[in-house]
Amino acid sequence: QQQVKQSPQSLIVQKGGISIINCAYENTAFDYFPWYQQFPGKGPALLIAIRPDVSEKKEGRFTISFNKSAKQFSLHIMDSQPGDSATYFCAAPTGANNLFFGTGTRLTVIP
Amino acid sequence: NAGVTQTPKFQVLKTGQSMTLQCAQDMNHNSMYWYRQDPGMGLRLIYYSASEGTTDKGEVPNGYNVSRLNKREFSLRLESAAPSQTSVYFCASSGGAGGFFTEYFGPGTRLTVL
C-alpha cells in the first residue's frame, strides 16, 4: 500500500518569499511524482511533475526537487504571490496504476 | 472541449436516501476515478475504472457503488446515505497525451447528508 506523507499542513508566506512543501513516499511502482494545485471551490489541477531521471525540474517560479535515496520530493515556489494561495497536493503512483495523494498543504501568501 | 463534467454541483440528502453522482469526460481517456475530499484527509480514492468495462475498489469503497456506463461516463451511487459520507466528491480521468498518471479533475459535487 502506497503511503505519501506531506508537510506542512498549512503555510503562511510573505509576498516575494519562498514556499517549500515536502513529501515522503514509501514505495512506488513508477518514477513519476506530480504536484497538483487546487483553488477554493475548484477541482485539483496538475501544476508540475517530475520523472526522476533528473533530480530537479523547474517551470517558471515552481521547482520540484527529488531525492530518490531518501524517498522524498519537494515543491519550491519562488517569489510567492498572493495568487499562489491555494491547496497543494503531492502524489505518487501505486502498484494499481493510480495515484495516491498526500493530505494537502494550504498555502496563504500575504501581500 | 469541456474536459470533465460532474452533476450535480450541490446536493443535500437525508440519512438513508440514495443518489447517483454523474461524471463524463470528452478527452477520450481510458481511465476514470472517483475521489472524496475531506478536511485534513486529502483526496482519497473511492473507486476507479482502468478501462471501459472494468472497475476496482480504491482506498475507501464502503457504502459506494460505481458503473462505467461507456468510455465517457462513470457514475457513483450511494445506496443508503450516511452522515459520514458528507464530503466533496471529485471525478477524474487520465490517459491520452497527458500520460497515464496525469489526472484531470472535474469541478466537484458538494454533498451533505443530514
Side-chain angles (χ1 to χ4, degrees):
Chain A
Q1 175 75 11
Q2 174 65 278
Q3 293 288 335
V4 176
K5 295 184 179 180
Q6 183 174 345
S7 63
Q9 188 172 2
S10 63
L11 182 61
I12 300 174
V13 174
Q14 293 280 350
K15 178 183 176 181
I18 302 173
S19 304
I20 301 175
I21 305 170
N22 300 299
C23 277
Y25 64 96
E26 293 189 353
N27 301 293
T28 183
F30 303 95
D31 283 345
Y32 173 81
F33 299 94
W35 286 90
Y36 282 76
Q37 180 187 54
Q38 183 183 29
F39 293 105
K42 304 293 186 183
L46 179 67
L47 177 65
I48 184 173
I50 191 170
R51 297 183 190 275
D53 49 349
V54 296
S55 60
E56 183 176 284
K57 180 175 182 179
K58 183 176 181 179
E59 289 185 359
R61 297 183 294 107
F62 300 90
T63 300
I64 298 178
S65 298
F66 180 72
N67 185 330
K68 189 168 185 176
S69 61
K71 295 186 176 180
Q72 294 177 346
F73 57 109
S74 60
L75 175 69
H76 295 232
I77 306 174
M78 310 300 289
D79 186 27
S80 298
Q81 300 296 312
D84 297 330
S85 297
T87 300
Y88 293 82
F89 294 95
C90 62
T94 72
N97 297 338
N98 50 54
L99 291 173
F100 191 98
F101 286 85
T103 52
T105 297
R106 178 174 290 186
L107 171 65
T108 303
V109 182
I110 300 172
Chain B
N1 191 338
V4 179
T5 58
Q6 293 182 235
T7 55
K9 286 186 168 51
F10 301 93
Q11 183 71 49
V12 178
L13 293 178
K14 295 181 179 179
T15 297
Q17 288 185 318
S18 63
M19 78 161 296
T20 300
L21 281 65
Q22 306 288 351
C23 174
Q25 52 93 6
D26 62 1
M27 295 175 283
N28 201 35
H29 287 168
N30 285 322
S31 301
M32 298 186 73
Y33 313 84
W34 276 105
Y35 291 89
R36 61 177 290 173
Q37 182 175 26
D38 303 291
M41 302 293 287
L43 294 159
R44 293 185 292 168
L45 184 65
I46 304 171
Y47 271 93
Y48 67 100
S49 171
S51 62
E52 186 178 355
T54 68
T55 60
D56 287 285
K57 295 178 180 179
E59 186 185 357
V60 289
N62 291 344
Y64 305 94
N65 286 300
V66 290
S67 295
R68 183 74 183 267
L69 304 171
N70 48 55
K71 191 170 186 179
R72 290 186 63 249
E73 299 172 288
F74 189 38
S75 62
L76 178 71
R77 183 162 178 82
L78 287 70
E79 291 290 352
S80 179
S84 61
Q85 294 177 305
T86 293
S87 187
V88 181
Y89 291 85
F90 288 101
C91 177
S93 68
S94 71
F100 186 86
F101 288 118
T102 300
E103 296 188 13
Y104 296 83
F105 284 80
T109 295
R110 186 174 296 273
L111 175 67
T112 302
V113 183
L114 302 175

